[in-house]
Amino acid sequence: MPPANDPASGAAPQYRVLAQAHWPDVELVLCREDIRQRTLWAIDAPRHTVIVHLGGTMRELDTEIDGVGATHAPPSPGDIWLVPAGKRYASQAMGQVITYAELRISPTADVDIGADRRVPIEGLMPRLGHRDEFLHYSVARLGRLSQQDDDVSAMMAERLQLLLRQHLYDGYRLPAVPAPAPASLAPRTARQLSDHIEDTLGQRIALADLASLAGMSVHQLLIAFRRTFGTTPAQYILAQRLRRARWYLLNGNDDITDIALTCGFASHSHLSAAFKRDTGITPRQFRDGLRMRATY
């Protein structure tokens, strides 16, 4: 994802490709980028793009896909963005030096669904600041393997990119819906909802309030919200609260109970239970582990 505002000729390099690998219909690019000045990114491509934040600090981040689903909180290592083929992605950020990977997949890339049938990876759902531990660690592993020259590493990388294809097909396809498909939220309404959720994460959020803001019934909101964001309002709110908690855990020394309450969880144990279901580890293990781990 080279920045939209590439530095003028002669300036210090802001963007560097650390590794690159290719397979049929699949490409991996591992990048390091200096974003101490405001940096703009844009994607508008006929391929799926999965972006995985691997390391480094962002202080500000604002991203959207096709004008909706904006995220505001800076990411933690492991957060992902999925830009389906043909969708327009725009982002601006500031921070320090970051490392990230892009997995670029053609919609013609296929997967095995059994009975000697292969189908293309089409109709994926957009994701913004999503958490997927398998995707995170597999893409990071693929980046490390792509930097090796031996044949065993090449075979392992080949196998891993096939598993990643299958994972995307199994977990991120748009749900089948009877025609006509439920209407999506208008871009302005989607932005209002995401802004409202972001501004009130530390408070109790009610479906009725979100529906009122959107000018819909609760039933209409549930259908349109899932069609737009690829998830339910409850799952979206939980994901945003966990993202904010991860950022506090990584970038400060606040007590975990205080972080839990600030992010909208009822208690330390409430945050810990949700965090462990999402990541497999507790908030304290996450904080201690990331502080010990070197940047990729």
Side-chain angles (χ1 to χ4, degrees), residues 249-286:
L249 289 165
L250 183 59
N251 293 282
N253 295 305
D254 292 346
D255 182 79
I256 292 177
T257 297
D258 292 337
I259 292 174
L261 299 177
T262 298
C263 295
F265 293 94
S267 63
H268 183 150
S269 61
H270 184 202
L271 168 60
S272 294
F275 203 97
K276 190 162 187 177
R277 281 196 304 270
D278 187 58
T279 66
I281 58 176
T282 67
R284 188 170 302 281
Q285 288 170 328
F286 176 84

PDB file of all heavy atoms in Angstrom, residues 249-286:
ATOM      1  N   LEU A 249      -3.753  -1.100  26.704  1.00  0.00           N
ATOM      2  CA  LEU A 249      -2.844  -2.077  27.287  1.00  0.00           C
ATOM      3  C   LEU A 249      -1.437  -1.943  26.709  1.00  0.00           C
ATOM      4  O   LEU A 249      -0.442  -2.105  27.417  1.00  0.00           O
ATOM      5  CB  LEU A 249      -3.363  -3.495  27.043  1.00  0.00           C
ATOM      6  CG  LEU A 249      -4.612  -3.902  27.828  1.00  0.00           C
ATOM      7  CD1 LEU A 249      -5.225  -5.164  27.228  1.00  0.00           C
ATOM      8  CD2 LEU A 249      -4.272  -4.123  29.302  1.00  0.00           C
ATOM      9  N   LEU A 250      -1.377  -1.641  25.426  1.00  0.00           N
ATOM     10  CA  LEU A 250      -0.100  -1.572  24.734  1.00  0.00           C
ATOM     11  C   LEU A 250       0.608  -0.246  24.956  1.00  0.00           C
ATOM     12  O   LEU A 250       1.834  -0.182  24.986  1.00  0.00           O
ATOM     13  CB  LEU A 250      -0.309  -1.808  23.235  1.00  0.00           C
ATOM     14  CG  LEU A 250       0.929  -1.835  22.341  1.00  0.00           C
ATOM     15  CD1 LEU A 250       1.878  -2.929  22.783  1.00  0.00           C
ATOM     16  CD2 LEU A 250       0.526  -2.027  20.896  1.00  0.00           C
ATOM     17  N   ASN A 251      -0.140   0.841  25.141  1.00  0.00           N
ATOM     18  CA  ASN A 251       0.442   2.182  25.121  1.00  0.00           C
ATOM     19  C   ASN A 251       0.377   2.922  26.457  1.00  0.00           C
ATOM     20  O   ASN A 251       0.650   4.122  26.494  1.00  0.00           O
ATOM     21  CB  ASN A 251      -0.254   3.019  24.046  1.00  0.00           C
ATOM     22  CG  ASN A 251       0.040   2.505  22.659  1.00  0.00           C
ATOM     23  OD1 ASN A 251       1.098   2.748  22.106  1.00  0.00           O
ATOM     24  ND2 ASN A 251      -0.900   1.762  22.076  1.00  0.00           N
ATOM     25  N   GLY A 252      -0.002   2.257  27.527  1.00  0.00           N
ATOM     26  CA  GLY A 252      -0.060   2.936  28.816  1.00  0.00           C
ATOM     27  C   GLY A 252       0.120   1.975  29.970  1.00  0.00           C
ATOM     28  O   GLY A 252       0.324   0.769  29.785  1.00  0.00           O
ATOM     29  N   ASN A 253       0.042   2.538  31.171  1.00  0.00           N
ATOM     30  CA  ASN A 253       0.223   1.731  32.380  1.00  0.00           C
ATOM     31  C   ASN A 253      -1.015   1.758  33.269  1.00  0.00           C
ATOM     32  O   ASN A 253      -0.925   1.459  34.471  1.00  0.00           O
ATOM     33  CB  ASN A 253       1.432   2.251  33.170  1.00  0.00           C
ATOM     34  CG  ASN A 253       2.737   2.065  32.415  1.00  0.00           C
ATOM     35  OD1 ASN A 253       3.067   0.953  32.013  1.00  0.00           O
ATOM     36  ND2 ASN A 253       3.471   3.148  32.201  1.00  0.00           N
ATOM     37  N   ASP A 254      -2.165   2.122  32.701  1.00  0.00           N
ATOM     38  CA  ASP A 254      -3.381   2.193  33.495  1.00  0.00           C
ATOM     39  C   ASP A 254      -3.734   0.816  34.062  1.00  0.00           C
ATOM     40  O   ASP A 254      -3.457  -0.229  33.448  1.00  0.00           O
ATOM     41  CB  ASP A 254      -4.551   2.684  32.640  1.00  0.00           C
ATOM     42  CG  ASP A 254      -4.379   4.139  32.221  1.00  0.00           C
ATOM     43  OD1 ASP A 254      -3.514   4.815  32.798  1.00  0.00           O
ATOM     44  OD2 ASP A 254      -5.105   4.579  31.320  1.00  0.00           O
ATOM     45  N   ASP A 255      -4.348   0.826  35.230  1.00  0.00           N
ATOM     46  CA  ASP A 255      -4.834  -0.400  35.832  1.00  0.00           C
ATOM     47  C   ASP A 255      -5.855  -1.062  34.908  1.00  0.00           C
ATOM     48  O   ASP A 255      -6.671  -0.372  34.270  1.00  0.00           O
ATOM     49  CB  ASP A 255      -5.475  -0.075  37.184  1.00  0.00           C
ATOM     50  CG  ASP A 255      -5.964  -1.316  37.891  1.00  0.00           C
ATOM     51  OD1 ASP A 255      -5.145  -2.020  38.488  1.00  0.00           O
ATOM     52  OD2 ASP A 255      -7.189  -1.571  37.832  1.00  0.00           O
ATOM     53  N   ILE A 256      -5.825  -2.377  34.836  1.00  0.00           N
ATOM     54  CA  ILE A 256      -6.697  -3.080  33.898  1.00  0.00           C
ATOM     55  C   ILE A 256      -8.167  -2.872  34.253  1.00  0.00           C
ATOM     56  O   ILE A 256      -9.024  -2.787  33.363  1.00  0.00           O
ATOM     57  CB  ILE A 256      -6.333  -4.576  33.843  1.00  0.00           C
ATOM     58  CG1 ILE A 256      -4.941  -4.732  33.200  1.00  0.00           C
ATOM     59  CG2 ILE A 256      -7.367  -5.369  33.038  1.00  0.00           C
ATOM     60  CD1 ILE A 256      -4.424  -6.149  33.154  1.00  0.00           C
ATOM     61  N   THR A 257      -8.489  -2.742  35.513  1.00  0.00           N
ATOM     62  CA  THR A 257      -9.878  -2.450  35.895  1.00  0.00           C
ATOM     63  C   THR A 257     -10.305  -1.098  35.345  1.00  0.00           C
ATOM     64  O   THR A 257     -11.419  -0.958  34.822  1.00  0.00           O
ATOM     65  CB  THR A 257     -10.025  -2.464  37.426  1.00  0.00           C
ATOM     66  OG1 THR A 257      -9.734  -3.779  37.907  1.00  0.00           O
ATOM     67  CG2 THR A 257     -11.452  -2.081  37.831  1.00  0.00           C
ATOM     68  N   ASP A 258      -9.423  -0.084  35.444  1.00  0.00           N
ATOM     69  CA  ASP A 258      -9.750   1.235  34.906  1.00  0.00           C
ATOM     70  C   ASP A 258      -9.922   1.180  33.390  1.00  0.00           C
ATOM     71  O   ASP A 258     -10.816   1.825  32.828  1.00  0.00           O
ATOM     72  CB  ASP A 258      -8.647   2.240  35.264  1.00  0.00           C
ATOM     73  CG  ASP A 258      -8.582   2.528  36.757  1.00  0.00           C
ATOM     74  OD1 ASP A 258      -9.613   2.321  37.435  1.00  0.00           O
ATOM     75  OD2 ASP A 258      -7.517   2.949  37.229  1.00  0.00           O
ATOM     76  N   ILE A 259      -9.070   0.405  32.720  1.00  0.00           N
ATOM     77  CA  ILE A 259      -9.196   0.247  31.264  1.00  0.00           C
ATOM     78  C   ILE A 259     -10.537  -0.392  30.921  1.00  0.00           C
ATOM     79  O   ILE A 259     -11.234   0.038  29.999  1.00  0.00           O
ATOM     80  CB  ILE A 259      -8.028  -0.587  30.711  1.00  0.00           C
ATOM     81  CG1 ILE A 259      -6.714   0.188  30.830  1.00  0.00           C
ATOM     82  CG2 ILE A 259      -8.286  -0.987  29.255  1.00  0.00           C
ATOM     83  CD1 ILE A 259      -5.489  -0.616  30.451  1.00  0.00           C
ATOM     84  N   ALA A 260     -10.907  -1.416  31.682  1.00  0.00           N
ATOM     85  CA  ALA A 260     -12.171  -2.107  31.425  1.00  0.00           C
ATOM     86  C   ALA A 260     -13.346  -1.136  31.500  1.00  0.00           C
ATOM     87  O   ALA A 260     -14.199  -1.090  30.605  1.00  0.00           O
ATOM     88  CB  ALA A 260     -12.357  -3.250  32.421  1.00  0.00           C
ATOM     89  N   LEU A 261     -13.394  -0.339  32.554  1.00  0.00           N
ATOM     90  CA  LEU A 261     -14.515   0.588  32.732  1.00  0.00           C
ATOM     91  C   LEU A 261     -14.489   1.692  31.685  1.00  0.00           C
ATOM     92  O   LEU A 261     -15.540   2.083  31.157  1.00  0.00           O
ATOM     93  CB  LEU A 261     -14.469   1.179  34.145  1.00  0.00           C
ATOM     94  CG  LEU A 261     -14.594   0.164  35.290  1.00  0.00           C
ATOM     95  CD1 LEU A 261     -14.451   0.857  36.633  1.00  0.00           C
ATOM     96  CD2 LEU A 261     -15.926  -0.589  35.212  1.00  0.00           C
ATOM     97  N   THR A 262     -13.316   2.195  31.351  1.00  0.00           N
ATOM     98  CA  THR A 262     -13.192   3.245  30.337  1.00  0.00           C
ATOM     99  C   THR A 262     -13.682   2.763  28.984  1.00  0.00           C
ATOM    100  O   THR A 262     -14.268   3.529  28.210  1.00  0.00           O
ATOM    101  CB  THR A 262     -11.723   3.699  30.230  1.00  0.00           C
ATOM    102  OG1 THR A 262     -11.312   4.256  31.475  1.00  0.00           O
ATOM    103  CG2 THR A 262     -11.549   4.742  29.125  1.00  0.00           C
ATOM    104  N   CYS A 263     -13.447   1.480  28.694  1.00  0.00           N
ATOM    105  CA  CYS A 263     -13.804   0.936  27.378  1.00  0.00           C
ATOM    106  C   CYS A 263     -15.230   0.385  27.323  1.00  0.00           C
ATOM    107  O   CYS A 263     -15.647  -0.137  26.286  1.00  0.00           O
ATOM    108  CB  CYS A 263     -12.812  -0.151  26.978  1.00  0.00           C
ATOM    109  SG  CYS A 263     -11.131   0.463  26.733  1.00  0.00           S
ATOM    110  N   GLY A 264     -15.985   0.481  28.423  1.00  0.00           N
ATOM    111  CA  GLY A 264     -17.381   0.061  28.392  1.00  0.00           C
ATOM    112  C   GLY A 264     -17.662  -1.321  28.926  1.00  0.00           C
ATOM    113  O   GLY A 264     -18.790  -1.806  28.814  1.00  0.00           O
ATOM    114  N   PHE A 265     -16.655  -1.984  29.516  1.00  0.00           N
ATOM    115  CA  PHE A 265     -16.881  -3.287  30.131  1.00  0.00           C
ATOM    116  C   PHE A 265     -17.344  -3.090  31.574  1.00  0.00           C
ATOM    117  O   PHE A 265     -17.010  -2.102  32.225  1.00  0.00           O
ATOM    118  CB  PHE A 265     -15.611  -4.130  30.076  1.00  0.00           C
ATOM    119  CG  PHE A 265     -15.203  -4.522  28.687  1.00  0.00           C
ATOM    120  CD1 PHE A 265     -14.287  -3.758  27.978  1.00  0.00           C
ATOM    121  CD2 PHE A 265     -15.754  -5.636  28.075  1.00  0.00           C
ATOM    122  CE1 PHE A 265     -13.918  -4.099  26.681  1.00  0.00           C
ATOM    123  CE2 PHE A 265     -15.395  -5.993  26.776  1.00  0.00           C
ATOM    124  CZ  PHE A 265     -14.481  -5.217  26.079  1.00  0.00           C
ATOM    125  N   ALA A 266     -18.099  -4.044  32.072  1.00  0.00           N
ATOM    126  CA  ALA A 266     -18.694  -3.895  33.395  1.00  0.00           C
ATOM    127  C   ALA A 266     -17.667  -4.046  34.511  1.00  0.00           C
ATOM    128  O   ALA A 266     -17.856  -3.503  35.605  1.00  0.00           O
ATOM    129  CB  ALA A 266     -19.808  -4.926  33.588  1.00  0.00           C
ATOM    130  N   SER A 267     -16.578  -4.770  34.245  1.00  0.00           N
ATOM    131  CA  SER A 267     -15.603  -5.041  35.299  1.00  0.00           C
ATOM    132  C   SER A 267     -14.322  -5.592  34.677  1.00  0.00           C
ATOM    133  O   SER A 267     -14.268  -5.875  33.474  1.00  0.00           O
ATOM    134  CB  SER A 267     -16.153  -6.077  36.284  1.00  0.00           C
ATOM    135  OG  SER A 267     -16.369  -7.323  35.618  1.00  0.00           O
ATOM    136  N   HIS A 268     -13.301  -5.741  35.514  1.00  0.00           N
ATOM    137  CA  HIS A 268     -12.065  -6.387  35.087  1.00  0.00           C
ATOM    138  C   HIS A 268     -12.360  -7.778  34.538  1.00  0.00           C
ATOM    139  O   HIS A 268     -11.853  -8.173  33.470  1.00  0.00           O
ATOM    140  CB  HIS A 268     -11.115  -6.449  36.293  1.00  0.00           C
ATOM    141  CG  HIS A 268      -9.770  -7.035  35.985  1.00  0.00           C
ATOM    142  ND1 HIS A 268      -8.629  -6.668  36.652  1.00  0.00           N
ATOM    143  CD2 HIS A 268      -9.368  -7.973  35.087  1.00  0.00           C
ATOM    144  CE1 HIS A 268      -7.591  -7.342  36.188  1.00  0.00           C
ATOM    145  NE2 HIS A 268      -8.023  -8.151  35.233  1.00  0.00           N
ATOM    146  N   SER A 269     -13.174  -8.561  35.255  1.00  0.00           N
ATOM    147  CA  SER A 269     -13.447  -9.935  34.836  1.00  0.00           C
ATOM    148  C   SER A 269     -14.227  -9.977  33.527  1.00  0.00           C
ATOM    149  O   SER A 269     -14.029 -10.885  32.705  1.00  0.00           O
ATOM    150  CB  SER A 269     -14.206 -10.688  35.930  1.00  0.00           C
ATOM    151  OG  SER A 269     -15.448 -10.070  36.210  1.00  0.00           O
ATOM    152  N   HIS A 270     -15.109  -8.997  33.323  1.00  0.00           N
ATOM    153  CA  HIS A 270     -15.870  -8.923  32.067  1.00  0.00           C
ATOM    154  C   HIS A 270     -14.922  -8.717  30.896  1.00  0.00           C
ATOM    155  O   HIS A 270     -15.003  -9.406  29.865  1.00  0.00           O
ATOM    156  CB  HIS A 270     -16.888  -7.785  32.158  1.00  0.00           C
ATOM    157  CG  HIS A 270     -17.777  -7.671  30.962  1.00  0.00           C
ATOM    158  ND1 HIS A 270     -18.443  -6.507  30.634  1.00  0.00           N
ATOM    159  CD2 HIS A 270     -18.115  -8.561  29.987  1.00  0.00           C
ATOM    160  CE1 HIS A 270     -19.145  -6.692  29.540  1.00  0.00           C
ATOM    161  NE2 HIS A 270     -18.963  -7.934  29.127  1.00  0.00           N
ATOM    162  N   LEU A 271     -13.993  -7.761  31.031  1.00  0.00           N
ATOM    163  CA  LEU A 271     -12.994  -7.539  29.988  1.00  0.00           C
ATOM    164  C   LEU A 271     -12.140  -8.787  29.792  1.00  0.00           C
ATOM    165  O   LEU A 271     -11.893  -9.213  28.656  1.00  0.00           O
ATOM    166  CB  LEU A 271     -12.112  -6.350  30.348  1.00  0.00           C
ATOM    167  CG  LEU A 271     -10.838  -6.171  29.496  1.00  0.00           C
ATOM    168  CD1 LEU A 271     -11.193  -5.969  28.032  1.00  0.00           C
ATOM    169  CD2 LEU A 271     -10.002  -5.010  30.013  1.00  0.00           C
ATOM    170  N   SER A 272     -11.678  -9.385  30.879  1.00  0.00           N
ATOM    171  CA  SER A 272     -10.787 -10.544  30.772  1.00  0.00           C
ATOM    172  C   SER A 272     -11.457 -11.707  30.043  1.00  0.00           C
ATOM    173  O   SER A 272     -10.846 -12.362  29.199  1.00  0.00           O
ATOM    174  CB  SER A 272     -10.333 -10.990  32.166  1.00  0.00           C
ATOM    175  OG  SER A 272      -9.518 -10.008  32.764  1.00  0.00           O
ATOM    176  N   ALA A 273     -12.728 -11.940  30.362  1.00  0.00           N
ATOM    177  CA  ALA A 273     -13.438 -13.045  29.712  1.00  0.00           C
ATOM    178  C   ALA A 273     -13.600 -12.788  28.219  1.00  0.00           C
ATOM    179  O   ALA A 273     -13.368 -13.679  27.394  1.00  0.00           O
ATOM    180  CB  ALA A 273     -14.800 -13.241  30.367  1.00  0.00           C
ATOM    181  N   ALA A 274     -14.004 -11.563  27.866  1.00  0.00           N
ATOM    182  CA  ALA A 274     -14.181 -11.230  26.447  1.00  0.00           C
ATOM    183  C   ALA A 274     -12.846 -11.249  25.722  1.00  0.00           C
ATOM    184  O   ALA A 274     -12.745 -11.720  24.581  1.00  0.00           O
ATOM    185  CB  ALA A 274     -14.843  -9.858  26.317  1.00  0.00           C
ATOM    186  N   PHE A 275     -11.803 -10.737  26.364  1.00  0.00           N
ATOM    187  CA  PHE A 275     -10.476 -10.683  25.762  1.00  0.00           C
ATOM    188  C   PHE A 275      -9.938 -12.080  25.504  1.00  0.00           C
ATOM    189  O   PHE A 275      -9.385 -12.367  24.428  1.00  0.00           O
ATOM    190  CB  PHE A 275      -9.539  -9.913  26.698  1.00  0.00           C
ATOM    191  CG  PHE A 275      -8.337  -9.323  26.022  1.00  0.00           C
ATOM    192  CD1 PHE A 275      -8.328  -8.007  25.614  1.00  0.00           C
ATOM    193  CD2 PHE A 275      -7.200 -10.096  25.797  1.00  0.00           C
ATOM    194  CE1 PHE A 275      -7.216  -7.462  24.991  1.00  0.00           C
ATOM    195  CE2 PHE A 275      -6.088  -9.567  25.178  1.00  0.00           C
ATOM    196  CZ  PHE A 275      -6.089  -8.235  24.768  1.00  0.00           C
ATOM    197  N   LYS A 276     -10.125 -12.981  26.482  1.00  0.00           N
ATOM    198  CA  LYS A 276      -9.603 -14.336  26.314  1.00  0.00           C
ATOM    199  C   LYS A 276     -10.376 -15.099  25.243  1.00  0.00           C
ATOM    200  O   LYS A 276      -9.791 -15.881  24.486  1.00  0.00           O
ATOM    201  CB  LYS A 276      -9.644 -15.082  27.637  1.00  0.00           C
ATOM    202  CG  LYS A 276      -8.896 -16.408  27.589  1.00  0.00           C
ATOM    203  CD  LYS A 276      -8.553 -16.934  28.958  1.00  0.00           C
ATOM    204  CE  LYS A 276      -7.660 -18.164  28.853  1.00  0.00           C
ATOM    205  NZ  LYS A 276      -7.244 -18.666  30.176  1.00  0.00           N
ATOM    206  N   ARG A 277     -11.698 -14.874  25.156  1.00  0.00           N
ATOM    207  CA  ARG A 277     -12.463 -15.516  24.071  1.00  0.00           C
ATOM    208  C   ARG A 277     -11.969 -15.038  22.708  1.00  0.00           C
ATOM    209  O   ARG A 277     -11.925 -15.812  21.744  1.00  0.00           O
ATOM    210  CB  ARG A 277     -13.957 -15.183  24.207  1.00  0.00           C
ATOM    211  CG  ARG A 277     -14.696 -15.991  25.252  1.00  0.00           C
ATOM    212  CD  ARG A 277     -16.198 -15.899  25.058  1.00  0.00           C
ATOM    213  NE  ARG A 277     -16.675 -14.522  25.056  1.00  0.00           N
ATOM    214  CZ  ARG A 277     -17.060 -13.864  26.144  1.00  0.00           C
ATOM    215  NH1 ARG A 277     -17.019 -14.455  27.330  1.00  0.00           N
ATOM    216  NH2 ARG A 277     -17.482 -12.622  26.060  1.00  0.00           N
ATOM    217  N   ASP A 278     -11.581 -13.779  22.629  1.00  0.00           N
ATOM    218  CA  ASP A 278     -11.188 -13.192  21.353  1.00  0.00           C
ATOM    219  C   ASP A 278      -9.767 -13.556  20.959  1.00  0.00           C
ATOM    220  O   ASP A 278      -9.486 -13.797  19.781  1.00  0.00           O
ATOM    221  CB  ASP A 278     -11.331 -11.667  21.440  1.00  0.00           C
ATOM    222  CG  ASP A 278     -11.114 -10.975  20.109  1.00  0.00           C
ATOM    223  OD1 ASP A 278     -11.852 -11.302  19.163  1.00  0.00           O
ATOM    224  OD2 ASP A 278     -10.220 -10.124  20.015  1.00  0.00           O
ATOM    225  N   THR A 279      -8.842 -13.589  21.930  1.00  0.00           N
ATOM    226  CA  THR A 279      -7.429 -13.758  21.609  1.00  0.00           C
ATOM    227  C   THR A 279      -6.806 -15.034  22.161  1.00  0.00           C
ATOM    228  O   THR A 279      -5.707 -15.403  21.744  1.00  0.00           O
ATOM    229  CB  THR A 279      -6.615 -12.569  22.159  1.00  0.00           C
ATOM    230  OG1 THR A 279      -6.665 -12.591  23.592  1.00  0.00           O
ATOM    231  CG2 THR A 279      -7.170 -11.246  21.646  1.00  0.00           C
ATOM    232  N   GLY A 280      -7.474 -15.661  23.126  1.00  0.00           N
ATOM    233  CA  GLY A 280      -6.909 -16.851  23.749  1.00  0.00           C
ATOM    234  C   GLY A 280      -5.990 -16.554  24.919  1.00  0.00           C
ATOM    235  O   GLY A 280      -5.464 -17.484  25.540  1.00  0.00           O
ATOM    236  N   ILE A 281      -5.787 -15.271  25.229  1.00  0.00           N
ATOM    237  CA  ILE A 281      -4.945 -14.888  26.358  1.00  0.00           C
ATOM    238  C   ILE A 281      -5.657 -13.800  27.157  1.00  0.00           C
ATOM    239  O   ILE A 281      -6.621 -13.193  26.681  1.00  0.00           O
ATOM    240  CB  ILE A 281      -3.560 -14.375  25.908  1.00  0.00           C
ATOM    241  CG1 ILE A 281      -3.713 -13.174  24.965  1.00  0.00           C
ATOM    242  CG2 ILE A 281      -2.763 -15.484  25.259  1.00  0.00           C
ATOM    243  CD1 ILE A 281      -2.385 -12.553  24.559  1.00  0.00           C
ATOM    244  N   THR A 282      -5.174 -13.542  28.368  1.00  0.00           N
ATOM    245  CA  THR A 282      -5.767 -12.511  29.211  1.00  0.00           C
ATOM    246  C   THR A 282      -5.190 -11.142  28.850  1.00  0.00           C
ATOM    247  O   THR A 282      -4.128 -11.054  28.207  1.00  0.00           O
ATOM    248  CB  THR A 282      -5.484 -12.793  30.696  1.00  0.00           C
ATOM    249  OG1 THR A 282      -4.062 -12.647  30.926  1.00  0.00           O
ATOM    250  CG2 THR A 282      -5.929 -14.191  31.091  1.00  0.00           C
ATOM    251  N   PRO A 283      -5.845 -10.052  29.274  1.00  0.00           N
ATOM    252  CA  PRO A 283      -5.281  -8.717  29.028  1.00  0.00           C
ATOM    253  C   PRO A 283      -3.869  -8.560  29.589  1.00  0.00           C
ATOM    254  O   PRO A 283      -3.004  -7.954  28.948  1.00  0.00           O
ATOM    255  CB  PRO A 283      -6.277  -7.786  29.727  1.00  0.00           C
ATOM    256  CG  PRO A 283      -7.572  -8.520  29.695  1.00  0.00           C
ATOM    257  CD  PRO A 283      -7.201  -9.965  29.874  1.00  0.00           C
ATOM    258  N   ARG A 284      -3.617  -9.098  30.785  1.00  0.00           N
ATOM    259  CA  ARG A 284      -2.279  -8.958  31.359  1.00  0.00           C
ATOM    260  C   ARG A 284      -1.245  -9.716  30.542  1.00  0.00           C
ATOM    261  O   ARG A 284      -0.123  -9.235  30.315  1.00  0.00           O
ATOM    262  CB  ARG A 284      -2.275  -9.454  32.807  1.00  0.00           C
ATOM    263  CG  ARG A 284      -0.960  -9.170  33.535  1.00  0.00           C
ATOM    264  CD  ARG A 284      -1.062  -9.445  35.026  1.00  0.00           C
ATOM    265  NE  ARG A 284      -2.110  -8.653  35.642  1.00  0.00           N
ATOM    266  CZ  ARG A 284      -1.979  -7.362  35.966  1.00  0.00           C
ATOM    267  NH1 ARG A 284      -0.845  -6.725  35.691  1.00  0.00           N
ATOM    268  NH2 ARG A 284      -2.979  -6.720  36.538  1.00  0.00           N
ATOM    269  N   GLN A 285      -1.598 -10.900  30.069  1.00  0.00           N
ATOM    270  CA  GLN A 285      -0.665 -11.660  29.228  1.00  0.00           C
ATOM    271  C   GLN A 285      -0.397 -10.928  27.918  1.00  0.00           C
ATOM    272  O   GLN A 285       0.726 -10.919  27.422  1.00  0.00           O
ATOM    273  CB  GLN A 285      -1.239 -13.052  28.950  1.00  0.00           C
ATOM    274  CG  GLN A 285      -1.222 -13.975  30.155  1.00  0.00           C
ATOM    275  CD  GLN A 285      -2.020 -15.251  29.912  1.00  0.00           C
ATOM    276  OE1 GLN A 285      -3.011 -15.261  29.181  1.00  0.00           O
ATOM    277  NE2 GLN A 285      -1.589 -16.336  30.538  1.00  0.00           N
ATOM    278  N   PHE A 286      -1.444 -10.300  27.367  1.00  0.00           N
ATOM    279  CA  PHE A 286      -1.281  -9.521  26.140  1.00  0.00           C
ATOM    280  C   PHE A 286      -0.317  -8.365  26.383  1.00  0.00           C
ATOM    281  O   PHE A 286       0.602  -8.141  25.598  1.00  0.00           O
ATOM    282  CB  PHE A 286      -2.639  -8.984  25.691  1.00  0.00           C
ATOM    283  CG  PHE A 286      -2.595  -8.082  24.490  1.00  0.00           C
ATOM    284  CD1 PHE A 286      -2.585  -8.604  23.210  1.00  0.00           C
ATOM    285  CD2 PHE A 286      -2.586  -6.693  24.639  1.00  0.00           C
ATOM    286  CE1 PHE A 286      -2.553  -7.772  22.098  1.00  0.00           C
ATOM    287  CE2 PHE A 286      -2.561  -5.852  23.544  1.00  0.00           C
ATOM    288  CZ  PHE A 286      -2.541  -6.397  22.269  1.00  0.00           C
TER     289      PHE A 286
END
